[in-house]
């Protein structure tokens, strides 16, 4: 049975630099880095000390509060550097990769014959558990809570997002194996949201939902709200399709292979296209000979919720996209009142993007104005499809009123759900940061 | 070095100092700042608060220009009533505009000058940026005061309105009451004898009182309140060739402004439409009372109660209040459902006060201020509806 989801509220941000559908195989980077901050809410305890030799799949660190949750090395090589921040917190583990990669063997499994407990333990030991994230709080899933359903969004609507039908092509067997395995972890359903036509429609053991409408229709949070919203005390789990492939390959081959097809997007790439890379790869290697690095913002992920990288940074653990756009660190004469043709605006306040809905824009990182208190009302609602009052929720999060946060729908949101409201915010408020900090507080106080 | 670089260097030099907000206010007026995003979204939409406020000011300009001509027109027409026979020929004249320049522009200058000085002082003291809220307030204020308001009174009222109406709450975005209406209310309650009556609405009517050259400056509402006939046609009322506060007389131009605000998605059409609906409903109720002979023409309320409901929408400050004042997003209702209720009640109560207030036959600013106070209450109940729906989802599940 399929339940269609039609989203009306939202905004498609069309940018220059859509990845062309050709894939290059990137050569192995010399250095890889795994950054615990990619796994929000994790307190890492280091296992692989500096100088240790690791295989791809060997544990680098584990979660302090739950020693079963391991984090694995994406490559084989030698741990060269452990970078620590304040209070000796592990910030990054750097691994110099061997020229020939050795994978730890986790053994070939038949997913259909595994029990829920076996699947869990296999994901723990191989370091695949962090691929399963949970709502509420948008953190790595707590294995002791039973999810009421598992949600997978196979429809990407974020700006310049990688086309999943392209990056996952040929991975049907891996996806099917992974879905068979993770479906044992919930008593509920495995919901997969897809666009018009999808390879997922040929797979079994899942419930397909066809999604249409502007961004954020592809956000898994939007889909959860439309299919089976989270109530107090309930938990749902979320996995991305590219991580399902990793889980599937682990079961089929016994190897942890974190290589995925990622999209190089944005106007600062000379040739926006797809490239294969292993999680944690050095950005300068992945973008070599392609990036125009003159005053450029490089982002691991998309322009709305991705992470800003230095040019010597590393590909995020979950990301399947690198975006490069121009920095906007320049003044603009009378920029606040002259007619604007080259920027996107949800209003028509002498802004003319409403005339050209299909034009692709080359937006830069300028804030287009200064930070102010909330003034304008009613605009967030136009791009926010959840049945939640966005401004009221943000204000409750800002004043840390836990009762209000809970009552207004704090369990149902993740920071990325507030990316569009942040983008259009006239007062330039940091919505995603407000939500992230509020969710951390809720998690700490309410569990 | 270019102006851009010079200003940039100055900004860096004064960064973190006391006067930085004052400098930045002027700098950001000239140049969109060079700030880039950090954390959160890496790109931002083109709109900021300055642009938003600027659109409202643009929507007010026609009212201001019209008000300047009307200042002269009402003055000369009060002296020589025959001018009203040919409005078109006698309205857009240099003589009329000149009265506007010497009477209306000073109101604008005092309003902006005094208000912005207060804003700058507060920004420097509190160390925050100068916020854009006053750009609109400063334009609204001269348009909603009578033409013969003394400038010193206006200055005192502006200081009161900005400090008590806004800054004590924390500045733009934090205020409970509409600052422009706070200023108007201060004028009304502090100087009631000056602000009401039949003289202050037409330039020079006050000075000439008691002399051989005395002229009348009665507004339409004033005449109706005294059960008198008015000399103005409905077209006069619609296009605004009538006495009143400086910029609120032309319903036509206000509707044009409303169309502009709604088109640019800056003003809330929900509030504008529902205010007019609320006013119409109250007007219809009063018309019904008159038609049912519940009151007779001996009643002191007869004049305004028997005024056609649609006429109520054109006279007084209703249209101006609905379009430019009630739609203030900070003091109005913030939820879409709430905006319908909020607007409706503003219109409804406006006409009620207009009819029943014996001292001063206008109620729009009082109605909006009253609803400003109740807007959070309306929103509270709207949001509670959402909260209840969420709770119900759980109980349906567990049941």
């Amino acid at each position: 049975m399929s339940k269609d989801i039609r989203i009306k509220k939202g905004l498609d941000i069309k940018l220059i630099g859509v990845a062309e559908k050709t894939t290059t195989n990137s050569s192995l980077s010399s250095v890889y880095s795994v950054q615990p901050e990619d796994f929000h809410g994790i307190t890492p305890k280091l296992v692989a000390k500096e100088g240790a030799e690791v295989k791809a799949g060997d544990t680098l660190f584990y979660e302090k509060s739950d020693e079963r949750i391991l984090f694995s090395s994406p490559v084989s090589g030698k741990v060269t550097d452990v970078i620590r921040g304040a209070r000796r917190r592990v910030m990054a583990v750097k691994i110099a990769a061997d020229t020939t990669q050795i994978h730890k063997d986790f053994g070939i499994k038949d997913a259909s014959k595994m029990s829920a407990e076996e699947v869990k333990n296999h994901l723990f030991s191989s370091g695949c558990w962090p691929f399963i994230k949970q709502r509420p709080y948008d953190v790595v899933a707590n294995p002791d809570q039973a999810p009421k359903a598992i949600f997978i969004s196979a429809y990407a609507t974020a700006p310049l997002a990688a086309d999943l039908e392209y990056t996952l092509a040929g991975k049907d067997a891996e996806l099917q194996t992974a879905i068979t395995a993770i479906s044992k972890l919930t008593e509920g359903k495995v919901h997969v949201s897809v666009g018009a036509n999808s390879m997922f429609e040929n797979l079994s053991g899942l419930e397909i939902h066809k999604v249409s409408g502007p961004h954020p229709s592809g956000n898994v949070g939007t889909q959860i709200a439309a299919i089976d919203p989270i109530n107090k005390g309930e938990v749902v789990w979320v996995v991305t399709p590219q991580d399902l492939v990793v889980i599937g390959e682990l079961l089929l081959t016994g190897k942890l292979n974190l290589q995925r097809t990622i999209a190089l997007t944005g106007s600062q790439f000379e040739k926006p296209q797809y490239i294969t890379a292993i999680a944690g790869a050095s950005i300068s290697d992945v973008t070599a000979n392609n990036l125009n690095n003159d005053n450029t913002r490089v982002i691991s992920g998309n322009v709305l919720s991705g992470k800003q990288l230095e040019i010597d940074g590393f590909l995020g653990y979950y990301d399947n996209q690198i975006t490069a756009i121009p920095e906007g660190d320049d003044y603009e004469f009378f920029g606040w009142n002259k007619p604007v043709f080259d920027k996107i605006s949800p209003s028509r306040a002498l802004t003319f993007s409403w005339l050209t809905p299909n034009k692709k824009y080359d937006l830069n990182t300028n804030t287009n104005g200064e930070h102010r208190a909330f003034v304008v009302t009613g605009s967030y609602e136009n791009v926010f499809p959840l049945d939640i009052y966005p401004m009221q929720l943000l204000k409750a999060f800002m004043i840390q009123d836990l009762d209000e946060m809970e009552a207004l729908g704090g369990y149902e949101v993740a920071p990325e759900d507030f990316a569009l409201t942040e983008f259009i915010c006239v007062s330039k408020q940091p919505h995603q940061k407000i939500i992230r900090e509020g969710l951390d507080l809720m998690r700490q106080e309410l569990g | 070095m270019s102006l851009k670089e010079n200003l940039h260097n100055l900004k860096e030099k004064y960064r973190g100092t006391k006067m930085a907000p004052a400098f930045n206010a002027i700098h950001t007026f000239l140049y969109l700042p060079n700030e880039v995003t950090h954390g959160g979204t890496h790109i931002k939409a083109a709109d900021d608060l300055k642009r938003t406020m600027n659109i409202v000011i643009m929507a007010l300009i026609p009212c201001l220009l019209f008000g300047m001509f009307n200042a002269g027109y009402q003055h000369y027409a009060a002296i020589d009533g025959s001018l009203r026979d040919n409005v078109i020929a006698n309205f857009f004249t240099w003589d009329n505009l000149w009265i506007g320049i010497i009477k209306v522009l000073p109101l604008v200058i005092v309003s902006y000058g005094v208000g912005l000085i207060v804003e700058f002082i507060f920004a420097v003291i509190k160390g925050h940026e100068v916020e854009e809220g006053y750009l609109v307030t400063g334009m609204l204020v001269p348009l909603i005061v009578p033409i013969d308001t003394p400038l010193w009174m206006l200055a005192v009222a502006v200081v009161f309105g900005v400090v008590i109406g806004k800054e004590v709450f924390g500045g733009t975005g934090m205020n409970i009451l509409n600052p422009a209406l706070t200023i108007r209310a201060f004028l009304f309650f502090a100087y009631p004898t000056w602000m009401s009556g039949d003289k202050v609405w037409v330039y020079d009517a006050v000075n000439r009182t008691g002399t051989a050259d005395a002229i009348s400056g009665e507004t339409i509402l004033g005449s109706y309140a005294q059960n008198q006939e008015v000399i103005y046609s409905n077209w006069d009322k619609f296009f605004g060739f009538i006495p009143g506060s400086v910029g609120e007389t032309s319903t036509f131009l206000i509707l044009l402004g409303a169309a502009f605000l709604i088109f640019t998605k800056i003003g809330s059409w929900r509030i504008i439409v529902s205010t007019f609906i609320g006013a119409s409903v109250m007007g219809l109720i009063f018309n019904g009372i008159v038609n049912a002979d519940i009151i007779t023409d001996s009643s002191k309320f007869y004049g305004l109660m028997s005024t056609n409901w649609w006429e109520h929408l054109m006279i007084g400050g209703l249209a101006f209040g609905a379009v430019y004042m009630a739609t203030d997003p900070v003091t109005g209702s913030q939820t879409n459902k709430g905006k319908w209720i909020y607007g409706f009640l503003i219109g409804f109560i406006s006409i009620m006060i207009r009819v029943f207030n014996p001292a001063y036959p206008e109620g729009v600013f009082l109605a909006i201020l009253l609803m400003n106070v109740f807007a959070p209450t309306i929103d509270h109940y709207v949001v509670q509806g959402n909260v209840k729906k969420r709770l119900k989802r759980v109980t349906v599940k567990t049941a």
Side-chain angles (χ1 to χ4, degrees), chain A residues 108-128:
Chain A
I108 296 167
K109 305 275 178 184
D110 183 352
S112 58
K113 294 197 178 108
M114 292 170 87
S115 71
E117 212 45 42
E118 283 170 339
V119 172
K120 250 189 200 178
N121 286 331
H122 198 59
L123 294 178
F124 285 141
S125 62
S126 59
C128 282

Side-chain angles (χ1 to χ4, degrees), chain A residues 390-412:
Chain A
M391 182 145 94
Q392 281 70 16
L393 185 73
L394 282 167
K395 285 182 174 174
F397 271 50
M398 285 168 91
I399 59 167
Q400 307 196 327
D401 180 337
L402 285 164
D403 290 341
E404 284 281 292
M405 290 158 84
E406 193 178 285
L408 291 173
Y411 292 121
E412 298 164 47

Side-chain angles (χ1 to χ4, degrees), chain B residues 77-144:
Chain B
I79 297 168
D80 176 6
S82 67
L83 288 179
R84 295 196 191 274
D85 297 339
N86 188 352
V87 175
I88 308 297
N90 296 322
F91 191 81
F92 293 105
T93 65
W94 284 110
D95 287 346
N96 288 351
L97 182 62
W98 178 246
I99 302 278
I101 289 171
I102 60 166
K103 286 304 291 180
V104 177
L105 273 193
L107 292 174
V108 177
I109 292 166
V110 167
S111 163
Y112 269 119
V114 174
L116 287 175
I117 287 170
V118 177
E119 289 270 345
F120 271 69
I121 291 171
F122 266 87
V124 168
I125 292 173
K126 302 206 307 197
H128 64 61
E129 298 295 329
V130 177
E131 288 152 340
E132 291 79 7
Y134 198 76
L135 294 181
V136 169
T137 309
M139 181 61 102
L140 286 171
V141 167
L143 299 184
I144 57 171

Side-chain angles (χ1 to χ4, degrees), chain A residues 370-391:
Chain A
E370 294 174 294
H371 181 266
R372 290 287 182 264
F374 286 107
V375 170
V376 173
T377 63
S379 58
Y380 303 148
E381 282 81 351
N382 297 331
V383 297
F384 190 78
L386 311 189
D387 185 18
I388 284 173
Y389 282 99
M391 182 145 94

